Amino acid sequence: MENALSKSFTQVEDMHMSSFLRYWYGIQQILEQRGQEEQLDFSRLLDPELLKMLEISIQMSTFEVPDVAEREIAFFQGLRAHVDGLLRRGSLSHDSEEVLAYESLMSLYSSQEEE
């Protein structure tokens, strides 16, 4: 599909490596058809915001989530628009584990700021 890769990222789907490689291969084929023979660098598929998400998700697998959130609070606060968008589209529900975790994290940080 024309926008499948984009849709996977915007709807926060957990993409399998095989799907990602199919998309990458498809992009390579399109580039070749257009006469561009250069290989597509994986990093060109990710914008700075997605790279930041990747960096933070790796940090969260190594460090305690509240510690990462405290260091990266501006990033987490910026996720509010994405969370709200996913809720509006029905991709997440207000009682989903992800939304509850996000709200809990934001309330934890808010209560620390007030102290």
Side-chain angles (χ1 to χ4, degrees):
M1 293 189 302
E2 184 176 312
N3 65 349
L5 181 64
S6 214
K7 184 178 176 185
S8 292
F9 283 119
T10 59
Q11 293 190 4
V12 192
E13 293 177 354
D14 190 6
M15 186 185 308
H16 294 280
M17 182 57 83
S18 59
S19 297
F20 180 80
L21 291 173
R22 271 196 331 265
Y23 296 145
W24 175 78
Y25 182 77
I27 293 168
Q28 283 296 134
Q29 294 300 107
I30 291 168
L31 290 175
E32 285 178 22
Q33 289 172 1
R34 293 181 179 172
Q36 298 173 346
E37 295 188 23
E38 69 185 62
Q39 291 293 309
L40 181 63
D41 179 8
F42 282 134
S43 65
R44 290 179 57 194
L45 295 174
L46 305 174
D47 64 20
E49 185 176 305
L50 288 172
L51 287 172
K52 185 67 174 178
M53 283 188 211
L54 178 60
E55 175 190 338
I56 290 173
S57 66
I58 291 169
Q59 287 179 28
M60 289 174 61
S61 68
T62 307
F63 304 105
E64 295 293 320
V65 173
D67 295 336
V68 175
E70 188 173 340
R71 283 193 307 270
E72 301 288 351
I73 193 60
F75 174 82
F76 283 96
Q77 289 170 333
L79 289 179
R80 169 56 60 197
H82 295 288
V83 171
D84 290 345
L86 290 167
L87 288 168
R88 271 193 308 279
R89 284 195 306 265
S91 298
L92 287 175
S93 65
H94 289 279
D95 61 349
S96 68
E97 187 176 326
E98 296 86 355
V99 173
L100 294 174
Y102 179 78
E103 296 297 341
S104 174
L105 190 61
M106 290 297 91
S107 68
L108 172 68
Y109 184 77
S110 295
S111 66
Q112 286 179 353
E113 275 188 338
E114 293 170 3
E115 293 174 358

